[in-house]
Amino acid sequence: MKKAMKLPSSKKKTFFAQASVLKRLIAFIIDILLVNLIILFPFRGLFENMIPESSSFSKTFEFLSANSNLTGAITIIMFGVAFITILYFMIFEKKLGQSVGKMVLNLHVESSKKDLKYWQLFIRSMFLIPVFPFILLWFVDPIVMLFTKENQRLSEILSSTKTVERYKI
């Protein structure tokens, strides 16, 4: 009777490691460039028609102060753009576990709970809401990320999620 040889399994094993801050930054830049191209670019002409070209911030501010109806329209557009941008991150991360920038760098979003929930993905993306106090996350999130063991942003800690790098061996 012949014995079958035991060869190593050809299945690849998957390991997860904390994602580096540099890779996360590059992935975010890719995502923001994509969002600018797909979401913000179509609104560019609208903004150019609404706000006259001026040489300084103060002149633009004076113009907007004098035209409060335009300020309201611009605010609505800003919230619309923020909503679409949040949906971009939420849908990609829910359906694929990663945004386009994360795909390029092999990064994935994971939940410390069983599955990623939409509420977790919304909390991860709160920094995109263009009003106080959410704008503070632009400063607080990177600072917190530098001081946590797993490079988690504050919004990741609050949402019980983390960004990891996946290795297959």
Side-chain angles (χ1 to χ4, degrees):
M1 181 168 154
K2 293 183 179 179
K3 286 190 174 182
M5 281 196 313
K6 290 188 179 184
L7 298 173
S9 173
S10 63
K11 292 182 185 178
K12 291 184 175 185
K13 294 187 180 189
T14 303
F15 297 94
F16 299 95
Q18 96 183 17
S20 76
V21 174
L22 180 61
K23 277 192 168 187
R24 292 179 63 160
L25 177 64
I26 294 169
F28 181 69
I29 290 170
I30 291 168
D31 285 324
I32 292 302
L33 289 173
L34 189 61
V35 163
N36 275 320
L37 181 66
I38 294 171
I39 299 171
L40 290 177
F41 188 72
F43 290 101
R44 185 176 180 186
L46 182 62
F47 283 124
E48 287 174 353
N49 289 336
M50 291 173 78
I51 303 169
E53 191 174 325
S54 65
S55 59
S56 69
F57 176 78
S58 61
K59 286 184 181 181
T60 303
F61 182 76
E62 287 173 16
F63 174 79
L64 291 174
S65 296
N67 297 290
S68 60
N69 58 335
L70 279 180
T71 306
I74 290 170
T75 301
I76 291 169
I77 293 169
M78 281 178 33
F79 276 103
V81 168
F83 178 73
I84 294 168
T85 304
I86 290 170
L87 281 178
Y88 163 83
F89 283 100
M90 286 177 65
I91 291 170
F92 270 102
E93 290 175 353
K94 175 68 174 167
K95 299 294 182 190
L96 304 173
Q98 55 191 165
S99 62
V100 174
K102 289 180 183 77
M103 285 179 202
V104 171
L105 293 163
N106 197 30
L107 302 177
H108 300 267
V109 176
E110 286 193 340
S111 173
S112 63
K113 302 177 183 334
K114 191 174 185 180
D115 294 324
L116 278 171
K117 305 286 185 216
Y118 282 109
W119 69 266
Q120 291 175 293
L121 297 168
F122 177 76
I123 291 173
R124 282 178 61 86
S125 300
M126 285 187 313
F127 69 94
L128 295 166
I129 301 172
V131 295
F132 182 83
F134 303 108
I135 290 178
L136 292 177
L137 290 172
W138 275 91
F139 306 103
V140 174
D141 265 358
I143 292 168
V144 170
M145 185 169 56
L146 295 174
F147 293 102
T148 57
K149 187 171 92 174
E150 294 183 338
N151 294 339
Q152 283 182 289
R153 299 180 292 131
L154 176 62
S155 52
E156 290 178 321
I157 293 168
L158 295 173
S159 66
S160 300
T161 61
K162 61 182 174 180
T163 303
V164 297
E165 189 166 0
R166 189 177 285 179
Y167 297 98
K168 290 189 179 188
I169 298 176

